[in-house]
C-alpha cells in the first residue's frame, strides 16, 4: 500500500475523514473475516464489522499510539463487539449461527464447477475443524494462519506473551491435525 | 517461521477468499459518511460530461452581438441616431417658429 499508515492514523485523529476512509478500505476485509470466523454467520459478521468501524470512527480522536499496529486496536474493538454480541444473544441456538451455509455467497465464483465444489468441501472441513478449538485458540489460528500476522502483532491484539502464544499455537495445531486427519486431510503431506 | 506453521498457513490460505461484499463496503461508507477516493471519481464521471455539454450548448447559443465591442458600437450608433433626430426636431421647431412669427406679422 502506498499510504503510510502512521500518517493516515494521525490525520484521521485530527478529524480527516478521508484518511479514515482509506484506513477503512485497507482494514475492512481482515476485520470482517476475523468476525466472520468467530461468529460463522454472514449477516452477524456484517453487522458487527459495521459497528466496529462506527466505534473506531467516533473513538479515533482518543486513540493513543502505543507503538502497536493500528489494526491491533481494530481487532481489540472487534473482539469486544463479538463478546457483547454473545452476551446479548445467548438465546440464539448455536447451530443457527454456526452452520455458515451462506458463507459461500461471499466467495467469488472464478473456479470451474467441479473444482469449486471440491474447494468448498475442503474449506467447509477447515472451518468445522476450527470448531474443535477454544475461543482463544481459534482467534490465534485466524490471526496466525489465515491473516498471517506476526507473533509480535498478535501479542498486542490478544494481550499474551509470545511464549504463551507459541505454546497455545502448538496445542491448537495438535488439535487441528487430529481433526483434519479424521476428515481425510493430512497436514503433514 | 516453523515448517509446521508454514504448512498450516498454506492449508488455511483459501479461507482468505472470504471477503465482505462491495455492497457492504459502500453501505457502511454511506451510513458513516466516510469519504472514499472512488466516490470522487464517480462524481467526476457524472459531472464532466455535463460540464462539457453545458459549455458546448453555451457556445453554440451565444450571439455574435453579445461581445462587448459590438454592444458598445451599437450603443454609440444609437446615440448618434438619437442626436440626429433631436437636431432635426430642433430645426423643425425653428422652421415652425419662423412660420408662426411671419404669419403673425
Amino acid at each position: 500500500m502506498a499510504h503510510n499508515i502512521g500518517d493516515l492514523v494521525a490525520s484521521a485523529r485530527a478529524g480527516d475523514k478521508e484518511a479514515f476512509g482509506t484506513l477503512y478500505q485497507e482494514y475492512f476485509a481482515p476485520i470482517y473475516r476475523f468476525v466472520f470466523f468467530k461468529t460463522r454467520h454472514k449477516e452477524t459478521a456484517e453487522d458487527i464489522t459495521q459497528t466496529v468501524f462506527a466505534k473506531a470512527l467516533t473513538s479515533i480522536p482518543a486513540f493513543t499510539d502505543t507503538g502497536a499496529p493500528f489494526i491491533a486496536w481494530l481487532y481489540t474493538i472487534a473482539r469486544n463487539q463479538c463478546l457483547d454480541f454473545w452476551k446479548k444473544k445467548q438465546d440464539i441456538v448455536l447451530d443457527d449461527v454456526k452452520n455458515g451455509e451462506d458463507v459461500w455467497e461471499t466467495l467469488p465464483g472464478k473456479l470451474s464447477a467441479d473444482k469449486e465444489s471440491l474447494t468448498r468441501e475442503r474449506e467447509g472441513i477447515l472451518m468445522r475443524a476450527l470448531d474443535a478449538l477454544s475461543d482463544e485458540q481459534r482467534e490465534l489460528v485466524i490471526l496466525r494462519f489465515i491473516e498471517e500476522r506476526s507473533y509480535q502483532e498478535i501479542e498486542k491484539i490478544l494481550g499474551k506473551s509470545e511464549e504463551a502464544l507459541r505454546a497455545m499455537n502448538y496445542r491448537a495445531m495438535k488439535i487441528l491435525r487430529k481433526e483434519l486427519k479424521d476428515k481425510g486431510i493430512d497436514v503433514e503431506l | 517461521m516453523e515448517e509446521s506453521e508454514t504448512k498450516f498457513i498454506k492449508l488455511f490460505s483459501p479461507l482468505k477468499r472470504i471477503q465482505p461484499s462491495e455492497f457492504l463496503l459502500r453501505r457502511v461508507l454511506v451510513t458513516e459518511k466516510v469519504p472514499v477516493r472512488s466516490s470522487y471519481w464517480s462524481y467526476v464521471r457524472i459531472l464532466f460530461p455535463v460540464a462539457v455539454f453545458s459549455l458546448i450548448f453555451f457556445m453554440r447559443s451565444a450571439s455574435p452581438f453579445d461581445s462587448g465591442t459590438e454592444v458598445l458600437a451599437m450603443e454609440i450608433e444609437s446615440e448618434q441616431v438619437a442626436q440626429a433626430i433631436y437636431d432635426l426636431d430642433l430645426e423643425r421647431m425653428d422652421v415652425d417658429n419662423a412660420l408662426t412669427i411671419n404669419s403673425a406679422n
Side-chain angles (χ1 to χ4, degrees):
Chain A
M1 192 187 177
H3 305 283
N4 180 310
I5 298 296
D7 291 346
L8 286 172
V9 172
S11 302
R13 282 179 64 194
D16 182 349
K17 288 196 171 185
E18 194 178 347
F20 186 84
T22 310
L23 290 168
Y24 175 92
Q25 287 194 307
E26 178 72 8
Y27 293 131
F28 193 87
I31 296 295
Y32 171 81
R33 273 196 299 270
F34 179 76
V35 175
F36 174 80
F37 287 119
K38 281 176 71 66
T39 60
R40 202 75 76 68
H41 192 263
K42 198 177 130 200
E43 279 77 24
T44 306
E46 287 177 358
D47 289 346
I48 293 177
T49 312
Q50 286 186 67
T51 313
V52 168
F53 281 90
K55 280 200 179 292
L57 182 63
T58 51
S59 315
I60 200 162
F63 170 79
T64 44
D65 189 358
T66 57
F70 179 68
I71 196 170
W73 184 62
L74 295 175
Y75 275 124
T76 308
I77 300 175
R79 289 182 78 209
N80 292 336
Q81 287 304 308
C82 287
L83 285 172
D84 284 355
F85 168 77
W86 288 114
K87 274 182 202 162
K88 284 175 193 166
K89 301 277 181 182
Q90 276 178 346
D91 54 331
I92 286 182
V93 180
L94 203 62
D95 284 350
D96 284 351
V97 174
K98 292 218 166 182
N99 64 17
E101 286 295 317
D102 58 358
V103 55
W104 308 118
E105 288 171 20
T106 65
L107 298 177
K110 286 177 186 165
L111 304 172
S112 67
D114 287 351
K115 203 171 177 188
E116 183 70 41
S117 172
L118 280 171
T119 308
R120 288 185 177 191
E121 193 185 330
R122 193 180 172 90
E123 288 168 0
I125 292 170
L126 290 173
M127 290 212 285
R128 280 191 292 277
L130 292 175
D131 289 344
L133 303 173
S134 68
D135 278 352
E136 278 192 327
Q137 285 172 334
R138 196 178 310 126
E139 283 178 342
L140 174 59
V141 166
I142 295 165
L143 294 170
R144 185 74 182 139
F145 297 152
I146 300 172
E147 298 304 326
E148 296 181 44
R149 299 276 161 203
S150 68
Y151 278 110
Q152 288 73 33
E153 285 179 298
I154 302 171
E155 259 186 330
K156 310 279 184 194
I157 298 161
L158 301 183
K160 288 188 182 295
S161 71
E162 187 173 334
E163 237 174 62
L165 290 172
R166 282 184 186 278
M168 196 197 294
N169 201 27
Y170 177 78
R171 287 192 294 274
M173 284 194 291
K174 203 173 170 183
I175 296 167
L176 285 174
R177 253 189 219 105
K178 187 184 175 302
E179 285 294 314
L180 292 170
K181 199 171 183 179
D182 289 350
K183 291 173 176 74
I185 298 175
D186 192 348
V187 182
E188 302 309 322
L189 287 175
Chain B
M1 190 180 289
E2 291 168 28
E3 196 189 339
S4 53
E5 285 198 336
T6 314
K7 283 176 184 168
F8 274 99
I9 287 171
K10 200 175 168 188
L11 186 70
F12 278 94
S13 63
L15 294 185
K16 266 200 165 181
R17 290 168 68 210
I18 293 172
Q19 296 278 344
S21 63
E22 178 73 6
F23 168 72
L24 173 65
L25 213 68
R26 298 233 164 267
R27 194 176 69 191
V28 179
L29 290 170
V30 170
T31 310
E32 299 304 327
K33 292 185 172 56
V34 176
V36 251
R37 204 171 301 281
S38 60
S39 65
Y40 291 129
W41 283 113
S42 63
Y43 284 128
V44 170
R45 275 204 301 273
I46 295 165
L47 291 178
F48 183 73
V50 172
V52 169
F53 178 78
S54 306
L55 189 67
I56 292 167
F57 181 78
F58 177 76
M59 286 173 75
R60 281 171 67 94
S61 64
S63 159
F65 293 108
D66 282 351
S67 78
T69 317
E70 295 288 345
V71 171
L72 189 65
M74 281 181 72
E75 279 178 5
I76 291 167
E77 207 171 290
S78 55
E79 270 180 27
Q80 285 170 343
V81 170
Q83 185 65 46
I85 292 167
Y86 181 70
D87 291 345
L88 277 173
D89 278 350
L90 282 181
E91 279 176 27
R92 194 170 59 225
M93 278 173 70
D94 287 343
V95 171
D96 286 348
N97 286 342
L99 287 173
T100 311
I101 293 161
N102 282 340
S103 61
N105 289 334

